[in-house]
Amino acid sequence: MGLPTMVAYSPKKQRFAGFVGVFGIESVNDLLNGVLSGRVKTKPVYQAPVVDDVDCKAVAAERAAAGEGGGDVAVEEEEDMGDFMAEILAEEKAAKKALEEEMKREAEEKKAQEKADKEAAKAAAKEAEGGKKKKSKKKKKKKKK
């Protein structure tokens, strides 16, 4: 089971419902409406969560001073992902170019084949027409005699 993107919690009833998916206005509305209508099942919470009032800037400063450097890891991962994405885009671009070249080559081959077929058909038609004329001349000579 994946970690939920969002959790709807009722402190009065001590129940919650988790949502795993794309976080957006429609999905949040669907979850809340589903919980209120009973369409989405809730689960009991056996121990109420405690929310601490924490200054996020102070925690980040403490971590940076302690050398945990959570922010540096995120930046490094982002750079790695950027390189990875650039590599994927370059591969897709090369594949697209190769496909376009192949389609162009196939279209040229098809045109050449159609041209050759037309020329062969014309030659066959001329040959057939020439043979008919010779036969018709022979028939005319026979009729004259």
Side-chain angles (χ1 to χ4, degrees):
M1 183 178 152
L3 291 175
T5 305
M6 188 185 80
V7 176
Y9 172 66
S10 170
K12 184 177 179 181
K13 294 182 181 180
Q14 292 291 305
R15 296 188 69 81
F16 77 96
F19 171 75
V20 177
V22 178
F23 186 78
I25 294 172
E26 287 185 33
S27 56
V28 171
N29 282 335
D30 288 343
L31 174 68
L32 295 176
N33 289 332
V35 169
L36 292 173
S37 68
R39 193 175 27 139
V40 174
K41 302 294 180 197
T42 60
K43 299 175 185 131
V45 175
Y46 298 108
Q47 191 174 27
V50 179
V51 180
D52 294 334
D53 187 23
V54 178
D55 182 19
C56 292
K57 288 182 182 178
V59 172
E62 287 175 17
R63 286 185 179 175
E68 291 181 20
D72 294 341
V73 173
V75 171
E76 190 174 305
E77 280 184 22
E78 211 171 277
E79 287 175 359
D80 290 343
M81 291 302 289
D83 293 343
F84 185 62
M85 192 63 176
E87 185 179 321
I88 290 172
L89 291 173
E91 288 174 358
E92 288 178 352
K93 188 176 181 181
K96 182 179 178 182
K97 186 175 181 180
L99 182 62
E100 287 174 351
E101 288 174 358
E102 183 179 346
M103 289 175 62
K104 185 177 180 181
R105 182 184 49 78
E106 287 177 359
E108 288 172 355
E109 287 176 0
K110 186 177 179 182
K111 283 182 181 179
Q113 182 65 35
E114 287 175 354
K115 187 176 180 182
D117 289 345
K118 282 183 180 180
E119 288 177 3
K122 283 183 182 179
K126 280 186 179 181
E127 188 176 304
E129 197 175 290
K132 286 181 181 178
K133 286 182 180 179
K134 288 180 183 178
K135 286 182 183 178
S136 62
K137 285 182 182 178
K138 287 180 183 179
K139 286 182 182 179
K140 286 181 184 178
K141 286 182 182 178
K142 283 184 182 179
K143 286 181 183 179
K144 286 183 182 179
K145 291 183 180 179

